[in-house]
Amino acid sequence: MTPATDHSILRSTSGGDASHSKHITFNLLFFIMNFAITGSTAIEAIALADNTATFTFTGGRSYDYTVNDVTAFVTALNSVMSEQGSVGRFVNNSIKSETLLKVAA
C-alpha cells in the first residue's frame, strides 16, 4: 500500500514603492494521505489531511479525529497493515489512548 501525498506550497509577495515596500509571504503546506483498507470488516478507508484523520466505516459513515502525532500514527498504521493486523482494533485502541481525538460535529 502506497499512500498518496500532496505537498503544495503557495508563496505570495506584495510591495509598494522602494521606500515604503511591504512584503507579505504566505506558506501553505498541505499533507494529504489516503489509505484504502482491505480485509477489514469495520473500516473502509482512512484519509489524513494535515493533522485530521477521516475514518470511513463499513456502510459509509465517516468520522473526523485530530491526530496528535501524525508521523507516529502513520508509522503504526503501516505496521498494522503490513502485518495484516486488525485496523479496526488499532483505530479503537488509538481512540482509547487519546492518540485520536474526536472532532466536534
Side-chain angles (χ1 to χ4, degrees), residues 39-51:
S40 175
T41 58
I43 298 176
E44 293 179 357
I46 300 172
L48 281 159
D50 291 324
N51 70 330

Side-chain angles (χ1 to χ4, degrees), residues 39-85:
S40 175
T41 58
I43 298 176
E44 293 179 357
I46 300 172
L48 281 159
D50 291 324
N51 70 330
T52 301
T54 301
F55 297 91
T56 303
F57 290 85
T58 303
R61 296 171 292 129
S62 294
Y63 299 95
D64 292 335
Y65 290 84
T66 299
V67 181
N68 290 331
D69 183 343
V70 174
T71 302
F73 178 79
V74 170
T75 300
L77 175 61
N78 279 326
S79 177
V80 168
M81 292 173 61
S82 68
E83 295 170 4
Q84 298 180 348

